[in-house]
Amino acid sequence: MVSFILCLLPALLATTNAQAANLNCNLCSGTAASCQASTQTCPVDKAKGGCFTVAEENTLDGTKTTSFSRGCLTDYNSTIKDPVTVTLGNGKYLRINTTRCNDTDNCNSGTLAVPTGSTTVNGLQCPTCFALNVTSCNSQITPCTGDETYCIDFIGTIQNGSATLSLAAKGCATASTKDIPAGTSLVSAFSTYNLTKVTSNPAEKTPTSGASPALGRFSFALYLPGLTGLLLVKLLA
Ligand SMILES: *[C@@H]1O[C@H](CO)[C@@H](O)[C@H](O)[C@H]1NC(C)=O
Ligand SMILES: *[C@@H]1O[C@H](CO)[C@@H](O)[C@H](O)[C@H]1NC(C)=O
Ligand SMILES: *[C@@H]1O[C@H](CO)[C@@H](O)[C@H](O)[C@H]1NC(C)=O
Ligand SMILES: *[C@@H]1O[C@H](CO)[C@@H](O)[C@H](O)[C@H]1NC(C)=O
Ligand SMILES: *[C@@H]1O[C@H](CO)[C@@H](O)[C@H](O)[C@H]1NC(C)=O
Ligand SMILES: *[C@@H]1O[C@H](CO)[C@@H](O)[C@H](O)[C@H]1NC(C)=O
């Protein structure tokens, strides 16, 4: 009996605390119009959580999907903080505008614009690829555009309804991707992305005059086995 009460006590206290410090967030997902019309809310513990707003456009499944969502974050720091765009080659991209707030009830009821892409090349390049159900993808070098000045490389999952698919992707991305820690989730109207492994580094310049820099590196790579061989001979001698 005593242990039963001891077990119950923290739960009761937690419930009381949570109720005392709840934040209500606007809740919706779907088209811009259905999100604008929504009067639904969700509660979240103000000490840990917050509200989010997302406007997203992506072409990952071959068609362009535009979606809007608002809701509760159990952990305020578990999601991306700033707008992100990622271009993966072959017409595949993911563009997310997002904000978070935790100060007042329904602080997330504003409307965000879907990020517009740019087709203006910016002199940088990245390996690009995208594949589902795999842990790596074969990339090809693609010029970057607009403000996508970083190269991102990630693996993760897409949860779509009850289905969870793994994915691997590389591409040009906005500098805001350099702050994304592994384990971050991106919540959109129809899918939740969980980035289990992610790196993002400044993109390399596109070689200007012909293929000389690439050739330089290529020929160095050709020399490498020879150099290693020489070194081995040296060491063995
Ligand atoms: C609430 O939001 C502010 C401003 O973004 C942030 O500094 C603070 O850490 C947030 N609170 C929690 C509990 O995460
Ligand atoms: C979220 O991150 C901010 C800044 O790094 C930190 O001050 C805050 O305590 C974190 N919130 C939680 C709930 O961990
Ligand atoms: C995000 O939405 C806001 C509000 O509509 C807009 O001012 C901003 O330019 C958008 N950001 C991006 C990256 O599209
Ligand atoms: C991924 O794997 C799941 C389960 O093995 C399968 O149902 C699905 O069709 C696969 N999707 C793709 C795009 O290969
Ligand atoms: C996710 O589900 C939606 C609706 O059920 C479907 O149209 C879309 O193709 C799915 N996306 C992926 C990546 O499986
Ligand atoms: C993402 O996936 C990792 C590993 O599968 C898991 O530990 C983590 O809790 C997930 N994060 C979210 C926000 O779902």
Side-chain angles (χ1 to χ4, degrees):
M1 188 58 192
V2 171
S3 62
F4 175 69
I5 291 176
L6 283 180
C7 279
L8 209 60
L9 203 58
L12 285 175
L13 286 177
T15 313
T16 320
N17 271 340
Q19 272 168 357
N22 262 358
L23 177 70
N24 291 306
C25 305
N26 194 244
L27 178 68
C28 68
S29 69
T31 62
S34 71
C35 241
Q36 213 46 51
S38 171
T39 53
Q40 280 188 288
T41 61
C42 53
V44 72
D45 178 0
K46 198 169 186 171
K48 290 204 288 276
C51 310
F52 72 88
T53 313
V54 164
E56 182 198 308
E57 185 171 289
N58 87 58
T59 56
L60 298 188
D61 65 6
T63 54
K64 187 165 88 177
T65 306
T66 306
S67 63
F68 298 82
S69 56
R70 301 188 188 127
C72 287
L73 294 166
T74 314
D75 176 356
Y76 191 69
N77 291 340
S78 70
T79 189
I80 54 167
K81 303 188 253 308
D82 300 308
V84 157
T85 72
V86 175
T87 302
L88 306 167
N90 292 322
K92 303 246 193 255
Y93 62 77
L94 179 59
R95 298 176 186 153
I96 296 177
N97 194 354
T98 187
T99 59
R100 300 176 306 174
C101 60
N102 60 15
D103 44 1
T104 56
D105 282 347
N106 296 319
C107 56
N108 66 333
S109 54
T111 304
L112 293 182
V114 176
T116 49
S118 167
T119 51
T120 310
V121 295
N122 60 19
L124 303 170
Q125 64 181 27
C126 292
T128 60
C129 59
F130 172 74
L132 289 171
N133 276 1
V134 293
T135 52
S136 69
C137 53
N138 292 324
S139 60
Q140 61 189 67
I141 298 292
T142 305
C144 298
T145 57
D147 61 358
E148 294 185 343
T149 56
Y150 273 63
C151 295
I152 194 170
D153 181 344
F154 63 92
I155 56 175
T157 56
I158 309 184
Q159 197 182 330
N160 193 5
S162 58
T164 302
L165 289 178
S166 60
L167 72 105
K170 293 179 188 174
C172 301
T174 46
S176 53
T177 56
K178 72 175 187 291
D179 302 320
I180 300 179
T184 299
S185 61
L186 309 177
V187 183
S188 73
F190 306 112
S191 324
T192 301
Y193 307 90
N194 183 354
L195 306 181
T196 47
K197 206 174 134 235
V198 52
T199 58
S200 182
N201 293 303
E204 276 183 34
K205 284 207 169 65
T206 307
T208 40
S209 58
S212 52
L215 199 63
R217 192 172 311 143
F218 181 61
S219 50
F220 179 64
L222 277 183
Y223 285 140
L224 257 186
L227 288 175
T228 315
L230 273 181
L231 208 65
L232 275 180
V233 170
K234 257 259 155 69
L235 284 174
L236 290 175

